[in-house]
Amino acid sequence: MSKISATLGLFNLLLLAVFAASAIGIAGISSTAGMGLAFTQLTGFLSLGMMAFAAVLSTRQKWLEPSLGGLDKMYRLHKWLGIGALAIAVVHWLVRTGGGHRPPVEAAAAAANAVASTVTAAASAAAPVERVIDPAVAATQTLFPSLMGLAHMIAQPVLFLLIALIAAALVKLIPYRIFQKLHFVMAAVFLVFAFHALVLMRPEYWPTPFGWATVTMAVTGSIASVYSLVRHFIGFPGAEARVVETHYYPELKVLEVDLEVDERWKGHRPGQFAFVVTDLKEGAHPFTIATSWNPANRRIGFIAKELGDFTSGLRREFHKGARVKIEGPYGRFTFDSAKPCQIWIGGGIGITPFVAKMRERAGTPANTQIHLFHTTRQVSEDALNRMRADADAASVDLHVLVSPRDGHLDAKQIMETVADWKDASFWFCGPTGFGAILRKDLVGAGLQPADFHQELFEMR
């Protein structure tokens, strides 16, 4: 099980345990109506918890990286928390609007049967369902009866908005800059759901661990959401940098950029990445760092390939003398291993962290044996010559495979090339699917899963 899956599972088990401990002491919960009410509260609780966790992760707190495996893993966890929160929120809404408070099994079955019609309902709904609330009844259902109508009214349209936002986040055809502009709205959506959860939490739950946890998650998630909203408009804190040199490889459509960074940059390790802002309206884009850190010259470099709408204009954005803002460093892909041998695999532009590590190792005696496999579809002799020079200086055994000529790299080739591969740690950066296949085949052949390290360099 991956750290992402384990974290997601443990977090939800913790929420379930909190709910169970609280529900035991609540009178009437064993009745049919009581079980229905409890199920409604539980689904809202789980959805709020996952949204709050996702909101905290979106603030890019470095202190969370060691326990969660780096910002790339945090972003993947953020994605699945959002999907999970949406799924449970839909169940919560379907049960709530589909006939009152049903027993859990019946409610879940009714929700499952209605999922297919939810998208159609969301697309056609023009206004929330109005509720007529009896003040006397409201006083027994919430500590804030005067807000109960508003809490009900805003939930449905905001849920539909959440469906649209998460759908936009998952559709890779939507440009990154548009995704960023839409995604920050999630922070405002959380504030609405936090209000909804607190107002509609039943009075008997407030003095229980469930109530304390709900308040804690609502407040923590709201603070994180406000922070994200503010940072969206003023930018995240970072260092200022100036482009001092560029080198373009036309065969690869790759630009190598060297920048001089100010004193706010405290250094980095090879394998880490940073967010770069060339224009506040465009927002921050992640780039893997391609240089080792030397405080004497305060240089930082990136290698970027023209892949999308933003990167196609790299030479325009990173012209000599241009000033940018850099935030970071982030990531735990830092080659920490006690193994006597390391096997590096860089697919395409995924070669970047290995270039940085080779430049750090250059001229420095090291006992670790390194094999670097680089796979590429396009060839630039200029780029290959530079890579060979870096590998020679770092005492790295370089294996270059040009896929149209040499075929695709697989686990068998690696095992045949490196005799003691079982005693090595593997470090992979490249296409996610390619990495998953290599990992599966190597682990199947006897590699320990913990010895395969993969950079999940996808921010959505």
Side-chain angles (χ1 to χ4, degrees), residues 88-234:
I88 295 178
V90 169
V91 171
H92 175 84
W93 172 71
L94 288 171
V95 172
R96 187 72 183 172
T97 60
H101 310 297
R102 306 177 184 180
V105 175
E106 182 186 339
N113 291 332
V115 165
S117 62
T118 303
V119 175
T120 303
S124 61
V129 177
E130 294 186 6
R131 291 174 176 264
V132 179
I133 299 173
D134 185 337
V137 174
T140 67
Q141 295 181 348
T142 175
L143 295 182
F144 311 98
S146 63
L147 298 175
M148 191 174 180
L150 177 61
H152 277 302
M153 182 181 68
I154 62 177
Q156 181 172 300
V158 173
L159 175 61
F160 294 157
L161 175 60
L162 181 63
I163 293 172
L165 290 173
I166 290 183
L170 296 176
V171 176
K172 298 295 181 68
L173 294 177
I174 295 177
Y176 185 78
R177 67 177 187 278
I178 297 177
F179 156 76
Q180 277 193 319
K181 294 181 186 303
L182 290 174
H183 203 65
F184 94 96
V185 179
M186 294 280 195
V189 168
F190 178 83
L191 296 176
V192 173
F193 278 121
F195 169 79
H196 174 85
L198 291 175
V199 169
L200 296 182
M201 183 163 61
R202 297 186 66 83
E204 60 265 31
Y205 284 97
W206 276 90
T208 68
F210 175 95
W212 309 333
T214 299
V215 172
T216 300
M217 293 187 302
V219 171
T220 302
S222 295
I223 292 172
S225 297
V226 170
Y227 178 84
S228 296
L229 286 169
V230 172
R231 289 301 180 188
H232 176 79
F233 292 104
I234 69 173

Side-chain angles (χ1 to χ4, degrees), residues 213-436:
T214 299
V215 172
T216 300
M217 293 187 302
V219 171
T220 302
S222 295
I223 292 172
S225 297
V226 170
Y227 178 84
S228 296
L229 286 169
V230 172
R231 289 301 180 188
H232 176 79
F233 292 104
I234 69 173
F236 280 79
E240 300 290 335
R242 179 177 60 88
V243 177
V244 294
E245 188 177 352
T246 64
H247 188 91
Y248 186 65
Y249 303 96
E251 302 92 341
L252 305 176
K253 294 185 178 180
V254 165
L255 181 69
E256 187 167 3
V257 183
D258 282 327
L259 307 98
E260 186 177 76
V261 67
D262 68 20
E263 67 282 353
R264 283 173 288 186
W265 186 262
K266 304 304 179 183
H268 59 267
R269 298 180 63 189
Q272 293 188 297
F273 63 92
F275 286 89
V276 180
V277 179
T278 57
D279 181 353
L280 191 57
K281 294 181 180 178
E282 175 66 34
H285 288 260
F287 292 93
T288 298
I289 300 169
T291 53
S292 59
W293 176 245
N294 182 352
N297 62 23
R298 305 197 63 80
R299 292 288 184 90
I300 182 172
F302 303 102
I303 299 176
K305 186 176 179 64
E306 296 176 358
L307 294 171
D309 57 321
F310 173 75
T311 52
S312 63
L314 285 173
R315 285 179 287 171
R316 180 183 66 252
E317 299 291 342
F318 291 103
H319 61 84
K320 190 172 182 178
R323 294 189 175 276
V324 302
K325 192 172 184 178
I326 300 178
E327 176 206 342
Y330 294 104
R332 306 286 293 178
F333 193 80
T334 49
F335 307 97
D336 297 318
S337 174
K339 298 282 186 175
C341 176
Q342 291 189 12
I343 297 174
W344 301 346
I345 306 164
I349 197 62
I351 191 64
T352 305
F354 307 113
V355 171
K357 187 63 177 178
M358 286 193 295
R359 290 173 177 176
E360 182 189 63
R361 280 174 54 99
T364 303
N367 296 325
T368 306
Q369 181 186 11
I370 306 293
H371 288 271
L372 170 57
F373 292 85
H374 174 48
T375 65
T376 180
R377 294 185 60 83
Q378 296 87 23
V379 178
S380 165
E381 288 303 323
D382 184 12
L384 285 179
N385 288 335
R386 291 190 178 211
M387 191 185 305
R388 292 187 184 105
D390 287 334
D392 289 342
S395 299
V396 168
D397 293 324
L398 177 63
H399 312 274
V400 177
L401 291 88
V402 181
S403 55
R405 180 191 68 199
D406 305 316
H408 296 286
L409 177 68
D410 57 22
K412 182 180 178 181
Q413 288 176 276
I414 296 172
M415 292 185 286
E416 290 175 348
T417 304
V418 185
D420 55 348
W421 63 271
K422 284 187 179 180
D423 296 322
S425 62
F426 283 73
W427 300 82
F428 176 89
C429 186
T432 304
F434 178 30

